[in-house]
Each structure stands twice: as structure tokens, then as C-alpha cells.
Amino acid sequence: MFESMAHWLVKTEPTVFSFDDLWNAPKRTSTWDGVRNFQARNFLRDAMKVGDAVLVYHSSVEPMAIAGVAEVVRAGYPDPTQFDRKNHHYDPKAKPETPTWFQVDLRAVKKLKRPVTLAEMKNVPELSGMMLLQRGVRLSVQPVSPEHFRWIVAAGF
DNA sequence: GCCAACGTTGGC
DNA sequence: GCCAACGTTGGC
């Protein structure tokens, strides 16, 4: 079971929702909603499983960095914001019978003592294959190899 | 604030 | 089904 645990990275703009917000949420848990990209949706819907480990990355902020580690506590289920007309993420084409967008629930597990910055990661040869660091890749939910995951957690400890 | 890169939409 | 136009992401 443990060996099949997958590793992920999710991006968030901390001005909207930060790792600290997750850390301070009831039970340190929150839904991870609002993803509106099909490839990311597929990971949320089909691939992320309870117990999977997740790096939480802060984008569009100084410094851009991995802020902490979370775990999946509920696997993919329909994102209700797609049906909410008043929500910024409302999708008029989505139908409750056949939801388009999915979310998971995440629980904060570990706050890195030292955020691991994008600038730092770019200079680490071992991380050069990370999807996050590839030119033009802007997936907000992406898989991470166990090696890359371990390197980052160790660097931030 | 800029803009490269990418995803989506819609006319044809 | 092509592809130009448009919108978004997200680093710089």
C-alpha cells in the first residue's frame, strides 16, 4: 500500500489561499476546488488517492516556493463551484448529472521550516526533470517523482 | 506591467 | 478538423 502512494504538486496563489490557510483550517483540511484545466482535472478525478502526498507550491508571489506538505484525505468528487452561478469558477456548461470539474480534499501535514524556493530548485541538477521546472508547463496539479519529493522535503526540513 | 507559452473557442 | 483569435497562467 505504502509503495503505491503517489506524489503530487499543487499550485496556489497564497493571496487567494495559502498553505497557512490550509494549516489553520478546521482539521487542517480544505477542499481543493476551482481547478479548470482538463489535464489537472483528470489527475484530481482519476489518479489522486487517499493517502497520497502533495507538495503545496506558492505561485505569483515573492518568493515562489514549496511551502508545505499535505495529504489527500478525500479522493476526487465533483466540484460544487461549477454549479454555483455566483462563484467565480461557475461553468454554465457543467451539469450535475455529468459534472465536468472535480476536487479533492487536502489536509496539511507538514509546514516546511524553510520554504524551498523556485530559484533554489532551478539550481539543483537532481530536480531538473521536475515538471514544475519545465518551460511552459503551467499545470496546477501535477505528479512528482518520489525522489524529487524526498529531496524537497529534506531541503525544507 | 509585460509577454511567452499554452489551452480553449468558434468560424469556416 | 483546421487554425486564428482570444483568454489565462505565471515567471520575470
Side-chain angles (χ1 to χ4, degrees), chain A residues 85-142:
Chain A
R85 290 181 168 279
K86 296 187 295 275
N87 193 283
H88 179 243
H89 296 291
Y90 174 63
D91 180 353
K93 288 183 292 188
K95 297 282 171 287
E97 315 84 73
T98 55
T100 306
W101 306 112
F102 286 72
Q103 63 186 7
V104 297
D105 290 355
L106 297 183
R107 177 168 62 212
V109 170
K110 177 202 277 277
K111 181 172 174 168
L112 294 187
K113 288 186 178 130
R114 191 179 65 77
V116 179
T117 67
L118 179 64
E120 174 183 2
M121 290 189 283
K122 281 181 169 174
N123 283 321
V124 176
E126 296 95 307
L127 299 180
S128 62
M130 269 190 86
M131 195 176 284
L132 180 71
L133 305 180
Q134 306 312 305
R135 179 185 180 79
V137 173
R138 38 183 226 198
L139 254 190
S140 61
V141 178
Q142 53 185 253

Side-chain angles (χ1 to χ4, degrees), chain A residues 32-46:
Chain A
W32 207 262
D33 62 17
V35 173
R36 294 295 181 267
N37 168 280
F38 287 104
Q39 201 178 347
R41 184 281 309 269
N42 292 345
F43 287 133
L44 292 171
R45 184 188 61 187
D46 306 329

